[in-house]
Amino acid sequence: MASSSTPSSSTSGPVSNPSVAPPPPNKPTRILACVLCQHRKIKCDRNFPCSNCTKANVKCTPSTPAPARKRRRPNQDLQERLARCEELLKEYATEKPEGSVTTPRPSQQLAYDDSYLKWQPAGQLVRDEGSMRFVDNPMLSTVYDELRAMRQIVDSEDTDDNTSDTAAPDENSDLLLGDGSPNIKIEALWPDAAHVIRLWQIYLDRVNPLTKIIHVPTLQPYLAEAVGGSQSLPKNIEALLFSIFLMAVVSLDADECQTLLGYSRDEALQRYSSGVRLALLRLGFLKTHDLTILQGLVIYLISLQGRYNRHAAWILNGVVIRIAQKMGMHRDGETLGLPPFEAEMRRRLWWQIIMVDSKYAIFSGLSHSLLPRNWDTKPPKNLNDADIFPSATEPFQDREGPTEMIFCLLIYAFAKFLVETPGFDTMFLLTSQGEFVTDRDGSGPPEQEMVEYRRTVETLGNTLLGILDKYCDPLAGPVHQMAVNMRTHIIDKIMELITPAKHQPEWGGEVRTLKDNTFKIAVCTLEHNEANYMSTKDKGFMWFSLAHFQIDIFMYMAGQLCHRTEGVLVERGWRQVEVVYTFHPELFDTSNKLHAALAVFILKAWRKREETLTQRTGQRPDTPFYVDRLRTSMPNDDYKSEPTPPDPYTPAVLAVGAHNGIPDNSLDSFLGYLDASALDWDMFGSQVNGGSGGSSFGVFGMGPQVEW
């Protein structure tokens, strides 16, 4: 038994010994389907040649197995960070801090009332794939940090993946800027080498002093590359330069543009507008949050003023505000720990966005710009571009004396006033209206509130004067002279509103009713425009004044002149008709329905004035140049000879309150908000373009007729 068990135990010992690994079995070689069967996706019998290839009478080629995939060893740091993210997300989803009762903020909380900002975290800028996002939730900030670190770990280990440098197309941008057609080559829109330098210099002379969006020393080196074309430029710089070229063309008149570029101003505007839009679309500007791209977008938005529907432009500016907010520009750069140079450039851009939005809000008929309420970005410093540089480590301090920032500092102070006193213009107009209405319902602003608003206006005047005294020198250049004129213009225009009608010299004479007062305000507004035209035409800043022209006010005044024939205000009004057509020759283009409708009113009004002057003096007056040109451009002879009707038509949108016995003048004081471009001027189509003729304005439109 013993002898028989020994061999048995000796042979079984190696098998049962756990310390000795068994020899690896011989793994049979895996036979793959042939190349043809794999391509045709049919079953292969794995014989060579296989039956399918034999039947097809083709060569049977065995396929080779794919190389073994490199197995990645678990990364301990990555696993720990992933676990940390899971814990944070669970905490964020379930945790409810004690006493976390949200206290509603006052609806009229001002932007500079920062009591609620003292306890609120400053937030954090998250940089990801060349983009920058602002996050003010501490928990999500930590999650973003962890996710970014995880991505860096993965990217550093995975060297086999080839990542394309081309950004994915943004499928949302075409909702705002149109579809970037692949048939358009952006290189074909780029200006010639000589034009690049000229347009750049025009921008520096005429636009940059009034906007200060770009930092010239930083951008200047790219001009050497831009002269040779846009191919070698960074794509964000390309978009910014396109917007600069566009804005330079906006600052030129038609003759200057033809002489400089060799083609018309309209063609140049279309060319560079297309370039800006195409460049922004290709960058995916809605999701690529870059300071340079945002600068180009803001400059593009400024270029739309005066030549684009102001309501649509205001909506587009809302997109700009959201992008800026996503980049954290509503929080001051010092609070976010940014370098001094970047913080200062963000301030300049943010305050320009505020000014543009406030302006478009007023033009669009809104009494207040709907900016984020919790913003604390400081105003820019009084510094030249040469005083700030990217490598700075210490915060910049205001320079004593005049700098190139003077105009912007003045405008930003006014922007602050608009933000902190919403509805000031509406309040004064309502109060002015109350002086002519005996049965007021008490819905207007209380007198005490009016006193506070007037005190605020006085404070604004002192603030602007203080800026001029501290930083302005009229001998330092045209932009300083422009700042002095702008301060006078702002205060005079506001004083025109806040002075009660009974305290003005026209009271009791030509101003007896609310409609008389509204007509006077329209005339005064156009006279302020004339003063701006005259003060800027020799300084290169005419474009800025022309951009603030409101055709609705001019059309209102033209409608009033159809039946107002006597008085000093009427003479002042006709003076403004000549001024407007002198500085706005685009109004002679009657192929535009709005311009054609305006021409109708001007010709009707002149017919009435011609009859009045002939009766008064016994001789026919000389025909103004604009009447001759309008008569030539209008295709229908009926408008050249038809007598003026007693009650010109008022579009229905202006006649709110004219029904049900309500006085029809209740909205005249809001003439600055009327949108003639939104009206259906096709109602003039049958008359302007060869209709039956002979009908007065009163037959157009629905509802009761009302007067201008």
Side-chain angles (χ1 to χ4, degrees):
M1 292 288 294
S3 61
S4 63
S5 64
T6 301
S8 175
S9 62
S10 64
T11 56
S12 62
V15 177
S16 61
N17 187 357
S19 62
V20 179
N26 293 327
K27 187 176 181 180
T29 303
R30 183 183 179 190
I31 302 176
L32 302 177
C34 70
V35 174
L36 180 64
C37 292
Q38 285 187 357
H39 179 71
R40 297 174 60 186
K41 296 182 179 180
I42 58 178
K43 187 175 181 180
C44 181
D45 59 11
R46 289 176 170 78
N47 294 320
F48 298 100
C50 69
S51 58
N52 295 325
C53 292
T54 302
K55 291 180 181 179
N57 196 22
V58 296
K59 182 180 178 181
C60 185
T61 305
S63 59
T64 57
R69 186 175 181 181
K70 182 181 178 181
R71 299 180 66 88
R72 179 181 295 163
R73 291 178 295 179
N75 188 294
Q76 186 66 24
D77 187 18
L78 179 61
Q79 292 180 344
E80 291 177 356
R81 289 183 179 275
L82 182 59
R84 173 63 176 159
C85 279
E86 293 175 351
E87 294 176 2
L88 288 171
L89 291 174
K90 290 179 181 178
E91 181 181 356
Y92 179 73
T94 60
E95 184 183 28
K96 294 183 179 180
E98 296 181 2
S100 59
V101 180
T102 302
T103 303
R105 298 174 184 168
S107 59
Q108 296 297 328
Q109 181 77 45
L110 298 181
Y112 278 80
D113 183 7
D114 58 355
S115 58
Y116 62 91
L117 290 174
K118 295 179 180 179
W119 56 264
Q120 185 173 351
Q124 180 180 351
L125 290 177
V126 179
R127 301 178 186 270
D128 185 20
E129 294 184 349
S131 181
M132 182 165 51
R133 301 180 179 88
F134 175 78
V135 180
D136 59 4
N137 185 293
M139 190 74 67
L140 291 181
S141 298
T142 307
V143 171
Y144 275 124
D145 286 339
E146 295 292 335
L147 291 177
R148 186 172 66 254
M150 292 165 59
R151 177 171 295 178
Q152 291 174 353
I153 294 173
V154 173
D155 291 343
S156 63
E157 291 187 351
D158 193 359
T159 59
D160 295 333
D161 293 339
N162 295 322
T163 303
S164 174
D165 294 333
T166 304
D170 189 352
E171 65 277 6
N172 303 311
S173 302
D174 62 320
L175 298 176
L176 298 171
L177 298 182
D179 185 16
S181 174
N183 297 326
I184 300 178
K185 292 185 177 180
I186 197 169
E187 296 80 9
L189 303 175
W190 195 257
D192 298 335
H195 295 165
V196 168
I197 301 300
R198 292 178 181 177
L199 292 174
W200 168 256
Q201 192 60 49
I202 289 172
Y203 180 88
L204 296 186
D205 294 339
R206 301 187 178 187
V207 181
N208 188 57
L210 306 186
T211 56
K212 300 303 297 178
I213 292 176
I214 65 172
H215 185 246
V216 176
T218 303
L219 192 58
Q220 184 93 37
Y222 290 103
L223 264 294
E225 300 179 44
V227 169
S230 63
Q231 297 86 347
S232 60
L233 289 172
K235 296 308 177 184
N236 56 352
I237 298 295
E238 179 187 50
L240 176 57
L241 288 178
F242 258 123
S243 67
I244 287 174
F245 300 150
L246 172 62
M247 199 64 225
V249 172
V250 169
S251 69
L252 297 172
D253 61 33
D255 293 337
E256 289 176 328
C257 191
Q258 185 69 43
T259 302
L260 178 68
L261 302 178
Y263 44 88
S264 69
R265 184 173 184 268
D266 290 339
E267 183 181 350
L269 290 174
Q270 182 178 2
R271 176 176 182 170
Y272 298 130
S273 295
S274 299
V276 176
R277 291 193 294 266
L278 189 58
L280 291 174
L281 286 171
R282 292 183 176 181
L283 282 167
F285 73 99
L286 287 182
K287 60 181 181 181
T288 306
H289 306 138
D290 175 76
L291 183 64
T292 303
I293 296 175
L294 186 59
Q295 287 174 328
L297 186 57
V298 172
I299 294 175
Y300 172 73
L301 192 68
I302 295 174
S303 75
L304 300 179
Q305 186 174 337
R307 65 184 189 91
Y308 195 71
N309 182 280
R310 60 181 181 270
H311 305 293
W314 182 73
I315 293 173
L316 179 58
N317 196 68
V319 176
V320 172
I321 291 176
R322 285 293 174 261
I323 295 175
Q325 190 178 7
K326 197 65 181 174
M327 294 173 61
M329 299 187 68
H330 60 298
R331 306 306 303 269
D332 192 72
E334 288 185 3
T335 306
L336 298 174
L338 295 176
F341 175 79
E342 185 176 354
E344 186 65 21
M345 293 306 299
R346 287 163 62 96
R347 290 169 184 161
R348 290 185 179 186
L349 186 56
W350 173 254
W351 278 86
Q352 188 65 231
I353 292 173
I354 290 177
M355 185 67 249
V356 172
D357 189 69
S358 299
K359 189 186 306 180
Y360 274 129
I362 292 177
F363 286 172
S364 189
L366 300 174
S367 61
H368 186 222
S369 175
L370 301 178
L371 293 166
R373 283 188 286 178
N374 59 335
W375 63 275
D376 60 354
T377 306
K378 299 176 183 178
K381 301 290 185 182
N382 180 53
L383 295 169
N384 295 318
D385 278 3
D387 298 327
I388 61 177
F389 43 92
S391 60
T393 57
E394 296 296 328
F396 300 116
Q397 302 300 325
D398 284 309
R399 170 188 281 269
E400 295 295 332
T403 71
E404 58 199 31
M405 281 292 294
I406 178 61
F407 185 83
C408 289
L409 294 178
L410 200 75
I411 291 298
Y412 296 159
F414 182 56
K416 178 181 177 182
F417 167 79
L418 293 177
V419 172
E420 293 184 343
T421 55
F424 81 96
D425 48 350
T426 305
M427 175 172 288
F428 292 131
L429 289 172
L430 285 174
T431 303
S432 176
Q433 176 176 321
E435 298 178 359
F436 302 95
V437 182
T438 57
D439 55 343
R440 295 187 67 191
D441 57 2
S443 59
E447 182 61 28
Q448 181 62 31
E449 196 167 346
M450 283 300 304
V451 172
E452 292 295 328
Y453 267 75
R454 290 192 176 97
R455 187 178 296 118
T456 304
V457 173
E458 294 176 1
T459 303
L460 171 65
N462 295 332
T463 300
L464 299 182
L465 186 60
I467 293 175
L468 293 178
D469 291 341
K470 192 174 182 180
Y471 301 128
C472 182
D473 180 5
L475 301 179
V479 69
H480 288 260
Q481 301 170 13
M482 178 81 169
V484 174
N485 295 335
M486 182 55 61
R487 187 262 178 189
T488 303
H489 169 73
I490 291 174
I491 298 304
D492 288 350
K493 199 164 186 177
I494 294 180
M495 293 302 296
E496 187 84 36
L497 289 175
I498 68 175
T499 302
K502 294 181 179 179
H503 297 166
Q504 298 187 18
E506 296 87 359
W507 175 257
E510 294 185 70
V511 177
R512 296 177 179 271
T513 65
L514 176 61
K515 187 169 293 186
D516 295 338
N517 191 56
T518 306
F519 176 65
K520 183 187 79 71
I521 292 176
V523 173
C524 290
T525 298
L526 293 171
E527 288 176 338
H528 284 304
N529 289 349
E530 179 189 6
N532 283 339
Y533 298 161
M534 301 306 294
S535 65
T536 58
K537 68 175 184 177
D538 297 328
K539 299 181 178 65
F541 303 138
M542 172 73 80
W543 69 269
F544 186 84
S545 300
L546 295 177
H548 290 78
F549 171 68
Q550 291 177 266
I551 192 173
D552 309 324
I553 295 179
F554 183 54
M555 182 172 284
Y556 175 89
M557 189 190 74
Q560 289 288 303
L561 291 175
C562 286
H563 61 90
R564 293 179 183 267
T565 58
E566 302 286 345
V568 176
L569 284 178
V570 171
E571 298 300 323
R572 289 164 59 184
W574 279 106
R575 157 71 183 170
Q576 291 311 307
V577 174
E578 180 178 0
V579 169
V580 167
Y581 276 103
T582 299
F583 286 98
H584 293 275
E586 69 274 6
L587 297 180
F588 290 112
D589 179 15
T590 54
S591 62
N592 182 302
K593 293 180 181 179
L594 180 59
H595 298 170
L598 175 62
V600 168
F601 286 112
I602 294 295
L603 294 179
K604 299 290 185 181
W606 173 250
R607 179 73 176 180
K608 188 69 174 179
R609 177 172 174 77
E610 189 177 43
E611 294 175 357
T612 301
L613 293 178
T614 301
Q615 294 175 1
R616 183 194 305 168
T617 62
Q619 58 183 1
R620 297 179 68 88
D622 295 334
T623 303
F625 76 94
Y626 52 86
V627 173
D628 287 334
R629 287 194 60 179
L630 290 176
R631 284 174 174 172
T632 303
S633 63
M634 295 296 286
N636 193 330
D637 291 335
D638 293 332
Y639 281 119
K640 305 172 185 177
S641 59
E642 182 189 355
T644 303
D647 295 326
Y649 171 74
T650 298
V653 70
L654 308 185
V656 178
H659 307 274
N660 302 325
I662 301 176
D664 66 341
N665 56 12
S666 59
L667 289 185
D668 280 351
S669 54
F670 296 99
L671 55 95
Y673 298 150
L674 307 182
D675 185 12
S677 63
L679 306 180
D680 183 12
W681 292 110
D682 282 333
M683 61 187 180
F684 295 106
S686 60
Q687 297 292 321
V688 175
N689 298 319
S692 57
S695 300
S696 68
F697 289 124
V699 301
F700 297 107
M702 304 296 292
Q705 302 176 19
V706 292
E707 295 182 352
W708 278 89

